[in-house]
Amino acid sequence: MMAKPEDFFFYGLDKPGNTSNPLGSMVTAVNVQQIPGLNTLGISLARIDFAPKGLNPPHTHPRGTEILVVLEGCLYVGFVTSNPENRLFTKKLYKGDVFVFPQGLIHFQQNVGDGDAVALAALSSQNPGVITIANAVFGAKPPISDDLLAKAFQVDKKVCKNPMTAKPEDFFFYGLDKPGNTSNPLGSMVTAVNVQQIPGLNTLGISLARIDFAPKGLNPPHTHPRATEILVVLEGCLYVGFVTSNPENRLFTKKLYKGDVFVFPQGLIHFQQNVGEEEAVALAALSSQNPGVITIANAVFGEKPPVNDDLLAKAFQIDKKVIDELQSAFWMDNNN
């Protein structure tokens, strides 16, 4: 009875955003914060303005798929798939062209023309959230441990099986009592038990993972684009945390001991590190039969083909030589 027409209205999306900043871009969001009437309706908009060579840097939307149309100019856009492929999909878009960025995947847009560019994006959530990778990883408040970051930076749907051919083995997996091999640069190993290992999980919206840690081992900053994770420590002591979406990029951390439980919300960048002197083990449940995993270092610096080094140098505001060095490194995937 208290709703009014203004709750469903926003004006000014015809006005250009101010692109006089180091990135040369500005996103004007129109979501439930601006239009209260969008609450529960599962959709929102954003206008993206670009100066010449301007960049909307690598970022994710943890709660929304984005569909973008170019209104003016020429954009080079792309997204990176989840581990282990970290495959880069790119396209040059012109006025009237449309491109889709799947929920939770790291993506970017850059104006490669000589004039200003404008795009309009629709997102499949009234509150899609945005996590700019550089801000979340290197601008978290309080900052993520530099030792942790130093160590870190070294989706398909399955077709349902015919029920008449299903068998008990389709709902069974053995060997989760066996430790994963942590003799790698990260000192950790994730053993996933999802729909790839248990076909009977298809459509059921849940899966497991065992995470083994050598002393000081790290499960590096990563996201699960399709799932929230709830983790329990079985042995040892872990330092864990996640970073909220822009603009706060707030870091939530906790030291966990045997029997402690912690939640990592869907799509947010998070990590776990063994801070004890002994080996550690954790068990995680995830709210999808195919949660996906995107290791930030691998996706940004180890994708195939590589993202343009000029683009990354601008996104991270560092020298291009540093980007080239990072892209030439070997990026360890600790997911089994």
Side-chain angles (χ1 to χ4, degrees):
M1 298 298 292
M2 296 176 62
K4 51 190 185 297
E6 287 73 13
D7 293 333
F8 299 84
F9 172 74
F10 176 89
Y11 72 93
L13 208 58
D14 59 322
K15 304 294 191 294
N18 182 0
T19 60
S20 57
N21 56 63
L23 293 172
S25 69
M26 182 57 64
V27 179
T28 304
V30 184
N31 55 44
V32 72
Q33 305 299 322
Q34 291 76 34
I35 303 182
L38 280 174
N39 197 25
T40 77
L41 298 185
I43 196 165
S44 58
L45 285 177
R47 172 183 171 134
I48 314 163
D49 288 277
F50 301 85
K53 311 305 179 187
L55 170 70
N56 191 14
H59 63 283
T60 76
H61 300 294
R63 296 179 293 277
T65 289
E66 175 181 346
I67 184 168
L68 175 144
V69 57
V70 178
L71 302 182
E72 297 292 342
C74 176
L75 297 181
Y76 171 69
V77 307
F79 65 83
V80 181
T81 61
S82 51
N83 300 10
E85 292 82 10
N86 296 131
R87 185 177 172 196
L88 176 64
F89 286 73
T90 64
K91 191 78 175 172
K92 188 177 282 190
L93 305 183
Y94 300 89
K95 184 176 180 178
D97 287 349
V98 176
F99 198 80
V100 174
F101 305 94
Q103 179 174 339
L105 298 189
I106 294 174
H107 61 284
F108 60 85
Q109 301 104 17
Q110 185 169 38
N111 180 4
V112 291
D114 295 319
D116 291 343
V118 185
L120 190 67
L123 298 108
S124 62
S125 170
Q126 70 273 11
N127 185 23
V130 61
I131 303 170
T132 304
I133 303 306
N135 301 33
V137 175
F138 298 112
K141 307 175 190 72
I144 297 174
S145 159
D146 54 0
D147 287 330
L148 187 155
L149 290 178
K151 192 162 191 173
F153 278 82
Q154 279 244 55
V155 219
D156 298 60
K157 286 188 175 179
K158 289 178 72 72
V159 176
C160 287
K161 188 171 185 176
N162 185 336
M164 300 304 294
T165 64
K167 52 188 185 298
E169 287 73 14
D170 292 332
F171 299 84
F172 172 75
F173 176 89
Y174 72 94
L176 208 58
D177 60 321
K178 304 294 190 294
N181 183 0
T182 61
S183 58
N184 56 63
L186 293 172
S188 70
M189 182 57 65
V190 179
T191 303
V193 184
N194 55 44
V195 73
Q196 304 298 326
Q197 290 76 33
I198 303 183
L201 280 174
N202 198 23
T203 76
L204 298 185
I206 197 165
S207 58
L208 285 177
R210 172 183 171 136
I211 314 163
D212 289 277
F213 301 85
K216 311 304 179 187
L218 170 69
N219 192 15
H222 63 283
T223 73
H224 301 294
R226 296 179 291 277
T228 289
E229 174 181 345
I230 183 167
L231 175 145
V232 58
V233 178
L234 302 182
E235 296 291 342
C237 176
L238 298 181
Y239 171 69
V240 307
F242 66 84
V243 181
T244 62
S245 51
N246 301 11
E248 291 83 10
N249 296 130
R250 185 177 171 195
L251 175 63
F252 287 72
T253 64
K254 192 78 175 172
K255 187 176 283 189
L256 305 183
Y257 300 90
K258 184 175 179 177
D260 288 349
V261 176
F262 198 80
V263 174
F264 305 95
Q266 179 174 340
L268 298 190
I269 294 174
H270 61 285
F271 59 85
Q272 302 104 16
Q273 184 169 38
N274 180 4
V275 290
E277 302 298 329
E278 306 293 333
E279 294 177 345
V281 185
L283 190 67
L286 299 107
S287 62
S288 170
Q289 71 273 8
N290 186 20
V293 60
I294 302 171
T295 304
I296 303 306
N298 300 35
V300 175
F301 299 113
E303 66 285 281
K304 307 172 191 69
V307 175
N308 179 278
D309 55 0
D310 287 322
L311 185 156
L312 290 178
K314 190 164 191 172
F316 284 86
Q317 300 288 293
I318 57 177
D319 191 272
K320 191 167 77 167
K321 291 180 180 177
V322 178
I323 297 296
D324 293 338
E325 183 178 341
L326 289 168
Q327 288 185 320
S328 66
F330 170 74
W331 296 101
M332 170 69 198
D333 184 8
N334 67 333
N335 291 271
N336 186 11

